[in-house]
Every structure is written in C-alpha cells, then in structure tokens.
Amino acid sequence: MIERILPTGAVAVHTADDADDAYPQEAALVARAVPKRQREFAAARWCARRALAGIGHPAGPILTGPHNEPLWPDGVVGSLTHCAGYRAAAVARAGEIVSLGIDAEPHLALPEGVLEAVTRPEELPALAELGAAHPDVHWGKVLFSAKESVYKAWFPLQRRKLGFQDAALRFDPQERTFRVAPAPVGPVDGGELLTRMRGRFLVDGGLLVTSVVVED
C-alpha cells in the first residue's frame, strides 16, 4: 500500500507478518524490549533489506543512531514504519531523492486529548471543514501520521527534533496530498526545508499511510 504514494525512484516493501530473523547486531538493540516490539523491529528490517535489494544493495544489518533513527548504507535514504498488522520500509538512492519519510497507522480516531497536542490552532478549522465534507476519514489521525512522516524526512537532514507544533499542514482531499509550511509564529530554523516537502496520504480499509519526500 505504501508504494502507491511514493514517487518513481523509491522502492517500498511491506508485510502484515512479524519476523524473528534479525541480524544479531539488530537483535541486540531491542534485547530488553517486549517480544512484540522485537518482532516488529525485525519485520521492518526484513522489509528494508528487500527494499534495498531493489536498488542494488546487498543484505546487511540496519542499526540505529543515537536518536533511534535507522542508519542506512552510504548513498541511500529511507524510512521505516510499523503498526498493528502492517510493517513497511521505503528506500531510494540519495542522488534521486534527498530524503523521505513514511508512516502507517490504524485508521481510527485519535485518543481524547491528542488532537490538541499535535495540531496548531490554525489547523483546527481546516480539519473541521474536512471532517464535515469527508466524514468517513479520521482527519486528526491523518494529520498525526503526516507529521510523523514530516519528522522522519526532516531529521536526517537537520539532525534535530521537530515538534508537532513546528509545522503546519494543509490537505487536498481530492488529490490526497498535503503541503508543509513552517509554523507562522516562531518558525524553526530550516523552515525553507519544510516548504520543499511534498506529502501524500491514502486511506484504504482500516489502514492509513502517509509519505513525505524532499527532492532537489
């Protein structure tokens, strides 16, 4: 499903299954985690290795950096995601795509109180309009997932955190796309990067996926 919202040049692999065939170096990273987390971790990397093969990279361990970000081979950009019943990875050659981020979530309403924590005040009226026009979509969850994808594309380039309140999104429900802009009050350094991001989303059955791409 994630491949339907990625550009040419990106390779994605997904699975609904867990895995337990992680490299020893990978398994060590989640040795203290609960078994469910260990299986999800392994499954996402199983997807990543197959996606990397699609752009000509041999299999190998995919470790994590100090902020728990995946460490990709030289010359590769990529992103991982997992949620209930879905694990996926997307990769591309760095010469073709500058950065990318993906996220998958169950298509359910956000828990009470979360919407206000992840949404800027100026985004709320637009979400209400979208909800009135397209009540079959949980727009708060779409925004949450989209901002997760924004962060995953942002961090490898800026190497610092981006809060939910630091970016504002505007959705086009017909095109299933969204635009990213810096927060209008107190924009973060690197705001120009946010304006270069292009996002897409897709709701299919009980699953929601989003992607963000930074291209030259």
Side-chain angles (χ1 to χ4, degrees):
M1 182 170 167
I2 198 75
E3 68 278 358
R4 294 161 62 185
I5 57 169
L6 288 169
T8 302
V11 175
V13 173
H14 64 87
T15 182
D17 300 321
D18 283 330
D20 56 8
D21 59 347
Y23 279 73
Q25 305 98 308
E26 294 172 341
L29 297 173
V30 288
R32 296 186 178 183
V34 299
K36 178 178 181 292
R37 165 62 177 152
Q38 293 175 348
R39 293 192 298 269
E40 291 172 341
F41 186 92
R45 279 155 172 77
W46 180 92
C47 293
R49 277 187 273 282
R50 281 148 184 82
L52 285 167
I55 58 172
H57 278 263
I62 300 167
L63 305 182
T64 59
H67 298 278
N68 207 35
E69 73 277 16
L71 299 178
W72 300 101
D74 289 343
V76 172
V77 298
S79 185
L80 304 172
T81 189
H82 58 79
C83 69
Y86 191 82
R87 297 85 169 88
V91 300
R93 296 182 179 90
E96 299 178 12
I97 292 175
V98 176
S99 188
L100 64 87
I102 63 171
D103 187 67
E105 304 285 343
H107 183 225
L108 301 169
L110 287 172
E112 185 176 353
V114 174
L115 181 63
E116 293 74 14
V118 302
T119 309
R120 291 194 53 80
E122 64 271 18
E123 292 173 313
L124 290 171
L127 289 182
E129 291 178 10
L130 288 167
H134 306 275
D136 55 327
V137 177
H138 295 293
W139 289 101
K141 195 63 165 289
V142 175
L143 180 138
F144 173 86
S145 178
K147 289 192 174 183
E148 287 286 318
S149 287
V150 167
Y151 176 78
K152 291 178 182 180
W154 160 276
F155 185 82
L157 300 178
Q158 296 294 100
R159 307 303 301 175
R160 54 192 174 84
K161 293 185 177 182
L162 182 77
F164 284 106
Q165 301 293 328
D166 292 329
L169 306 186
R170 186 76 179 183
F171 294 93
D172 183 329
Q174 277 71 46
E175 297 295 324
R176 297 197 298 268
T177 61
F178 57 92
R179 292 179 290 130
V180 187
V185 179
V188 296
D189 291 340
E192 184 273 335
L193 170 61
L194 293 176
T195 65
R196 292 170 57 201
M197 293 182 173
R198 297 293 179 266
R200 299 180 66 190
F201 68 93
L202 179 64
V203 176
D204 192 348
L207 186 65
L208 154 70
V209 290
T210 60
S211 68
V212 167
V213 174
V214 182
E215 298 181 288
D216 285 329

